[in-house]
Amino acid sequence: MLRRLENWTPVSVGSVSMGQEIGVTPLQMITAMSAMANGGLIVRPHVVRALRRGTKMAEPPQPQPRRVIRATTAATMRRMLEGVVLNGTGKRARLDGYTSAGKTGTAQKFDITTGTTLRTS
């Protein structure tokens, strides 16, 4: 979610670059993060109808991955996100025997009823 360019304010360029004045759905965020985990390849999310034991089912068509960022960029992002969990503010999210990545920060949410910005962390 991004305002139309003609509705940007003089501070919008700086705000958008920090992740403010934009919004994404949980599915969009998961898809973006999975592209970094997959070496820069994005796989369109899909729904599996059912998994049944002992029943032979036809394989559904597999979504074709598409490159959205360079593999080296994805690797750099993974290292930075892993650093949040290993050395940063996300240490409590560390899982023994697994690698994990974290993103910390703050967000501002607009309260439509009061017309004010609420700060959350």
Side-chain angles (χ1 to χ4, degrees), residues 1-109:
M1 295 166 270
L2 181 65
R3 284 187 285 158
R4 296 177 63 86
L5 187 57
E6 59 265 18
N7 296 328
W8 283 26
T9 68
V11 298
S12 291
V13 171
S15 296
V16 170
S17 69
M18 292 185 294
Q20 296 179 340
E21 296 191 34
I22 63 171
V24 297
T25 67
L27 184 58
Q28 288 171 322
M29 180 62 74
I30 291 167
T31 302
M33 295 299 279
S34 70
M36 284 182 271
N38 291 329
L41 298 174
I42 195 167
V43 177
R44 185 176 181 163
H46 58 283
V47 177
V48 175
R49 184 182 306 200
L51 294 175
R52 298 186 183 119
R53 288 185 181 202
T55 304
K56 180 113 174 142
M57 296 176 60
E59 283 291 318
Q62 295 297 312
Q64 293 299 311
R66 178 173 54 96
R67 178 151 311 278
V68 292
I69 58 175
R70 285 187 227 126
T72 54
T73 303
T76 300
M77 290 298 299
R78 280 195 310 273
R79 282 192 302 277
M80 290 191 302
L81 294 166
E82 288 171 1
V84 171
V85 175
L86 295 174
N87 310 310
T89 57
K91 291 177 184 171
R92 291 175 41 194
R94 187 172 181 182
L95 303 169
D96 287 336
Y98 295 91
T99 59
S100 58
K103 167 66 180 90
T104 61
T106 60
Q108 292 178 329
K109 294 183 179 181

